Amino acid sequence: MACTCVVGLQWGDEAKGKIVDLLTDQHDIVIRFNGGANAGHTVVQAGKTFKFSLLPTGVLKPHLTSVIANGVVVYPPRFLEEVNNLRAAGISIADNLLVSDHAHVIFPYHLEEERLNEQGSSQAIGTTGRGIGPCYQDKVGRGCGVRLGELLYPDHLRTRLHAIVPRKNQLLRALDSGARGFDPDTLCDEYLGHAEKMRPHITDTTRLLLQAIKNGKRALFEAAQGSLLDVDHGTYPYVTSSNSTTAGVWSGSGVPARNLNRVVGVIKAYTTRVGRGPFPTELNDGKDGIGERIRQTGREYGTVTGRPRRCGWFDAVAVRYSAAVSGADELAVMLLDVLSVAKEISICTSYEWRNRRLEDFPSDAFILDECRPIYETLPGWETDLTHCRRLADLPPAARRYVERLSQLLDLPVSIISVGPDREQTVFC
Ligand code: GDP
Ligand code: IMO
Ligand code: MG
């Protein structure tokens, strides 16, 4: 049994894609178990950049099996577009890519529902606009949820859409009297067309994964989003709609959690967040401030939406919590090179809340919003790290910073990343 999960321990974009890519060689199957095309995972190989939103990063290696498991929500046009883009880039995609027949399907009315919910609302989450929330709502609500396997049965799909779409049109009109409506037959024809193209990939992935693991295959689970965006354990309601901690592995793939024997917690050497929600260590220090310098140096703009990411110092209180919830065994510290822009580097070690000192993370957004960070400050190194390949190549101040993170989180650091390319990596 040799199953690994790569999980983000902050609010997403920790560079999970790079770590999954580095670990693929030690595994036979790569599995996405949560989220959908809200994810944006980047892999850079020999200067060539690949971006994945719905597909597992493993598809770059055609000899591996890549699985989109039942916990993922699938927008068929995006699936087909991503497959086509990769094929155009020379990546072979055939029966190495499998999608669960139990994965739920995103329809255009989900995108519209999300747009109407988000626009001008004081309750807006700042979502990626990919229909993720409304699709998961329909999954849990049961009446309107459609699974991918249902798309393979034309008569059945038509009957279901004739029941669902009028209800959806009513809902959309209630949200906005001018909302666009949808025609069940047009949608049905469109989705039957997508299903025909996806048919070779659709299967019972739960059975396949359980059998593969029984046969000694090594599975690598690729979490999307970050643990602090988990719907149960994150900063609710400013979260995504799935379990982005390792908790999602079991329900989202059918593989019991006891099979996981390595959990790699991925952290940025600082913190970023896209969308709304509390962020105690956020740096709002103007266009010449350190927050903006981190954003420019780290190219901190959303992979999916292009939105500027909010940037701030590393928050050890938050990550102590998320590492515990996700059961991290080790840490991969990413984008350390970006902190070369700072003369001094702060780490948040506790919070102040209503004149009290908090050592534990309050994951309730309304409490976290009132927390002020208490920092300790370490000297920076102010030299380029992007050519470092061994621990000894790092300047003493950079080594000290990583050691301090390890100490505060009480976890060993196994990987340090000093640039986007897979070569720009220090194995500890
Ligand atoms: P993910 O969603 O967790 O896979 O992360 P993203 O791909 O959204 O964001 C991480 C970004 O940082 C990508 O553009 C990566 O190419 C880039 N990146 C990864 N590791 C490093 C690193 O060590 N240094 C720098 N400067 N960039 C990195
Ligand atoms: P990866 O896998 C960063 C954020 C959105 C928003 C909230 C809810 O690349 O780390 P959603 O569209 O999921 O309903 O939006 O979650 N979010 C992410 N932030 N990285 C991601 O994915 C994200 N996926 C969703 O910005 O705040
Ligand atoms: Mg990302």
Coordinates of all heavy atoms in Angstrom, one line a residue, residues 32-38 54 69-74 102-106 110 113-114 130-142 145 168 224-225 231 240-244 252:
R32 N -8.0 13.2 -9.2 CA -8.7 14.4 -8.6 C -9.9 13.9 -7.9 O -10.7 13.1 -8.5 CB -9.0 15.3 -9.8 CG -8.0 16.3 -10.2 CD -7.8 17.5 -9.3 NE -9.0 18.2 -9.1 CZ -9.5 19.2 -9.9 NH1 -8.8 19.6 -10.9 NH2 -10.6 19.8 -9.6
F33 N -10.2 14.4 -6.7 CA -11.3 13.9 -5.9 C -12.3 15.0 -5.5 O -13.4 14.7 -4.9 CB -10.9 13.1 -4.7 CG -10.0 13.9 -3.8 CD1 -10.6 14.7 -2.8 CD2 -8.6 13.9 -3.9 CE1 -9.8 15.4 -1.9 CE2 -7.8 14.7 -3.0 CZ -8.4 15.5 -2.0
N34 N -12.0 16.2 -5.8 CA -12.9 17.3 -5.3 C -12.8 18.5 -6.3 O -11.9 18.6 -7.1 CB -12.5 17.8 -3.9 CG -11.2 18.7 -4.0 OD1 -10.2 18.3 -4.4 ND2 -11.4 19.9 -3.5
G35 N -13.8 19.4 -6.2 CA -13.8 20.6 -7.0 C -14.1 20.3 -8.4 O -14.6 19.3 -8.8
G36 N -13.7 21.3 -9.3 CA -13.9 21.1 -10.7 C -13.0 22.1 -11.4 O -11.8 22.2 -11.0
A37 N -13.6 22.8 -12.4 CA -12.7 23.7 -13.2 C -12.5 25.0 -12.5 O -12.0 26.0 -13.1 CB -13.4 23.9 -14.5
N38 N -12.8 25.1 -11.1 CA -12.4 26.2 -10.3 C -10.9 26.2 -10.0 O -10.3 27.2 -9.7 CB -13.2 26.3 -9.0 CG -13.3 25.0 -8.3 OD1 -12.9 24.0 -8.8 ND2 -13.8 25.1 -7.1
L54 N -9.5 21.1 -14.8 CA -10.4 19.9 -14.4 C -9.6 18.6 -14.5 O -10.0 17.7 -13.7 CB -11.6 19.9 -15.4 CG -12.7 19.0 -15.2 CD1 -13.3 19.1 -13.8 CD2 -13.8 19.2 -16.3
A69 N -12.5 11.6 -10.2 CA -13.4 10.7 -9.4 C -14.7 11.3 -9.1 O -15.0 12.4 -9.5 CB -12.6 10.3 -8.1
N70 N -15.5 10.5 -8.4 CA -17.0 10.9 -8.2 C -17.2 12.2 -7.5 O -18.2 12.8 -7.6 CB -17.7 9.7 -7.4 CG -17.0 9.5 -6.0 OD1 -16.0 8.9 -5.9 ND2 -17.6 10.1 -5.0
G71 N -16.2 12.6 -6.7 CA -16.4 13.8 -5.9 C -16.2 15.1 -6.7 O -16.5 16.2 -6.2
V72 N -15.8 15.0 -7.9 CA -15.5 16.2 -8.8 C -16.8 16.6 -9.5 O -17.7 15.7 -9.8 CB -14.4 15.8 -9.8 CG1 -14.2 17.0 -10.8 CG2 -13.1 15.5 -9.1
V73 N -17.0 17.9 -9.8 CA -18.1 18.3 -10.6 C -17.6 18.7 -12.0 O -16.6 19.5 -12.1 CB -18.9 19.5 -9.9 CG1 -19.8 18.9 -8.8 CG2 -18.0 20.6 -9.4
V74 N -18.2 18.1 -13.0 CA -17.6 18.2 -14.4 C -18.5 19.1 -15.3 O -19.7 18.8 -15.5 CB -17.5 16.8 -14.9 CG1 -17.0 16.8 -16.4 CG2 -16.6 15.9 -14.1
H102 N -20.3 8.7 -11.7 CA -21.0 9.3 -10.5 C -20.6 10.8 -10.3 O -21.2 11.4 -9.4 CB -20.7 8.5 -9.3 CG -21.5 7.2 -9.2 ND1 -21.5 6.4 -8.1 CD2 -22.3 6.6 -10.1 CE1 -22.3 5.3 -8.4 NE2 -22.7 5.5 -9.6
A103 N -19.7 11.3 -11.1 CA -19.3 12.7 -11.0 C -20.6 13.5 -11.4 O -21.2 13.1 -12.4 CB -18.1 13.0 -11.9
H104 N -20.8 14.6 -10.7 CA -22.0 15.4 -11.1 C -21.7 16.4 -12.2 O -20.5 16.8 -12.4 CB -22.6 16.1 -9.9 CG -23.5 15.3 -9.1 ND1 -24.9 15.5 -9.1 CD2 -23.3 14.1 -8.4 CE1 -25.5 14.5 -8.4 NE2 -24.5 13.7 -8.0
V105 N -22.8 16.7 -13.0 CA -22.6 17.5 -14.3 C -23.0 18.9 -14.0 O -24.0 19.2 -13.4 CB -23.4 16.9 -15.4 CG1 -23.3 17.6 -16.7 CG2 -23.1 15.4 -15.6
I106 N -22.1 19.8 -14.5 CA -22.5 21.2 -14.5 C -23.1 21.6 -15.8 O -22.6 21.3 -16.9 CB -21.2 22.1 -14.3 CG1 -20.5 21.7 -12.9 CG2 -21.5 23.6 -14.4 CD1 -19.3 22.5 -12.6
H110 N -26.4 26.3 -14.1 CA -25.6 26.5 -12.9 C -24.7 27.8 -12.9 O -24.6 28.5 -11.9 CB -24.7 25.3 -12.7 CG -25.4 24.0 -12.3 ND1 -25.3 22.8 -13.0 CD2 -26.3 23.8 -11.3 CE1 -26.0 21.9 -12.4 NE2 -26.7 22.5 -11.4
E113 N -27.0 30.7 -12.5 CA -27.5 30.8 -11.1 C -26.4 31.4 -10.2 O -26.6 32.3 -9.4 CB -27.8 29.4 -10.5 CG -28.5 29.4 -9.2 CD -28.8 28.0 -8.7 OE1 -29.1 27.1 -9.6 OE2 -28.9 27.8 -7.5
E114 N -25.1 31.0 -10.4 CA -24.0 31.5 -9.7 C -23.8 33.0 -10.0 O -23.6 33.8 -9.1 CB -22.8 30.7 -10.0 CG -21.5 31.2 -9.2 CD -20.4 30.3 -9.3 OE1 -20.4 29.3 -10.0 OE2 -19.3 30.6 -8.7
R130 N -17.5 29.3 -12.0 CA -17.5 28.0 -12.8 C -18.7 27.1 -12.5 O -18.7 26.0 -12.9 CB -16.2 27.3 -12.6 CG -15.0 28.0 -13.0 CD -15.0 28.2 -14.5 NE -13.8 28.8 -15.1 CZ -13.5 30.1 -15.2 NH1 -14.4 31.0 -14.8 NH2 -12.4 30.5 -15.7
G131 N -19.7 27.6 -11.8 CA -20.9 26.8 -11.5 C -20.7 25.8 -10.4 O -21.6 24.9 -10.2
I132 N -19.6 25.9 -9.7 CA -19.3 24.8 -8.7 C -20.3 24.7 -7.6 O -20.9 23.7 -7.3 CB -17.9 25.1 -8.1 CG1 -16.8 25.3 -9.2 CG2 -17.5 24.1 -7.1 CD1 -16.6 24.1 -10.0
G133 N -20.6 25.9 -6.9 CA -21.5 25.9 -5.8 C -22.9 25.4 -6.2 O -23.5 24.5 -5.6
P134 N -23.6 26.0 -7.2 CA -24.9 25.5 -7.6 C -24.9 24.0 -8.0 O -25.9 23.3 -7.7 CB -25.2 26.4 -8.8 CG -24.5 27.7 -8.6 CD -23.2 27.2 -7.9
C135 N -23.9 23.5 -8.6 CA -23.9 22.1 -9.0 C -23.8 21.2 -7.7 O -24.6 20.2 -7.6 CB -22.7 21.8 -9.9 SG -22.7 20.1 -10.5
Y136 N -22.9 21.5 -6.8 CA -22.9 20.8 -5.5 C -24.2 20.9 -4.7 O -24.6 20.0 -4.1 CB -21.7 21.2 -4.6 CG -20.4 20.6 -5.0 CD1 -19.3 21.4 -5.4 CD2 -20.2 19.2 -4.9 CE1 -18.1 20.8 -5.8 CE2 -19.0 18.6 -5.2 CZ -17.9 19.4 -5.6 OH -16.7 18.9 -6.0
Q137 N -24.9 22.1 -4.8 CA -26.2 22.3 -4.1 C -27.2 21.3 -4.7 O -27.9 20.6 -4.0 CB -26.7 23.7 -4.4 CG -26.3 24.7 -3.3 CD -26.7 26.1 -3.7 OE1 -25.8 26.9 -4.0 NE2 -28.0 26.4 -3.9
D138 N -27.2 21.1 -6.0 CA -28.1 20.2 -6.7 C -27.8 18.8 -6.3 O -28.6 17.9 -6.2 CB -28.1 20.4 -8.2 CG -29.0 21.6 -8.6 OD1 -29.7 22.1 -7.7 OD2 -28.9 22.0 -9.8
K139 N -26.5 18.5 -6.2 CA -26.1 17.1 -5.8 C -26.6 16.8 -4.4 O -27.3 15.7 -4.3 CB -24.5 17.0 -5.8 CG -23.9 15.8 -5.2 CD -22.4 15.8 -5.2 CE -21.8 14.6 -4.5 NZ -20.4 14.5 -4.7
V140 N -26.4 17.7 -3.5 CA -26.9 17.4 -2.1 C -28.4 17.5 -2.0 O -29.0 16.7 -1.3 CB -26.2 18.4 -1.1 CG1 -26.7 18.1 0.3 CG2 -24.7 18.2 -1.2
G141 N -29.0 18.3 -2.8 CA -30.5 18.5 -2.8 C -31.2 17.3 -3.5 O -32.4 17.1 -3.3
R142 N -30.5 16.6 -4.3 CA -30.9 15.4 -5.0 C -31.9 15.6 -6.2 O -31.7 15.0 -7.2 CB -31.5 14.3 -4.0 CG -30.4 13.8 -3.1 CD -30.9 13.3 -1.8 NE -31.7 14.4 -1.1 CZ -32.5 14.2 -0.1 NH1 -32.7 13.0 0.3 NH2 -33.1 15.2 0.5
G145 N -30.0 17.0 -9.3 CA -28.6 16.6 -9.7 C -28.6 15.6 -10.8 O -29.4 14.7 -10.9
K168 N -35.5 25.1 -12.9 CA -34.4 26.0 -12.9 C -34.7 27.4 -13.5 O -34.3 28.4 -13.0 CB -33.2 25.4 -13.7 CG -32.6 24.2 -13.0 CD -31.7 24.8 -11.9 CE -31.4 23.7 -10.9 NZ -30.7 24.2 -9.7
A224 N -7.7 19.7 -4.9 CA -7.9 21.0 -5.5 C -8.2 22.0 -4.4 O -8.6 21.5 -3.3 CB -9.0 21.0 -6.5
Q225 N -8.0 23.3 -4.6 CA -8.2 24.3 -3.6 C -7.2 24.1 -2.4 O -6.3 23.3 -2.5 CB -9.6 24.4 -3.1 CG -10.6 24.9 -4.1 CD -11.0 23.9 -5.2 OE1 -11.5 22.8 -4.9 NE2 -10.8 24.2 -6.5
V231 N -15.3 23.1 2.7 CA -16.7 23.5 3.1 C -17.0 23.2 4.6 O -17.8 24.0 5.2 CB -17.7 22.9 2.1 CG1 -17.8 21.4 2.3 CG2 -19.1 23.5 2.3
T240 N -15.0 27.0 -0.7 CA -15.6 26.4 -1.9 C -16.6 25.3 -1.4 O -16.9 25.2 -0.2 CB -14.5 25.8 -2.8 OG1 -15.0 25.4 -4.0 CG2 -13.8 24.5 -2.1
S241 N -17.2 24.6 -2.3 CA -18.3 23.8 -1.9 C -18.0 22.3 -1.8 O -18.9 21.4 -1.7 CB -19.5 23.9 -2.9 OG -19.8 25.2 -3.0
S242 N -16.7 22.0 -1.7 CA -16.3 20.6 -1.5 C -15.3 20.4 -0.4 O -14.9 21.4 0.2 CB -15.7 20.1 -2.8 OG -14.4 20.7 -3.1
N243 N -14.9 19.2 -0.1 CA -13.9 18.9 1.0 C -12.5 18.9 0.3 O -12.2 18.0 -0.4 CB -14.2 17.6 1.7 CG -15.3 17.7 2.6 OD1 -16.3 17.0 2.5 ND2 -15.3 18.5 3.6
S244 N -11.8 20.0 0.5 CA -10.5 20.2 -0.1 C -9.4 19.7 0.8 O -8.2 19.8 0.4 CB -10.3 21.6 -0.5 OG -10.7 22.5 0.5
G252 N -14.8 11.3 -1.9 CA -14.7 11.8 -3.3 C -14.1 10.8 -4.3 O -14.0 11.1 -5.5

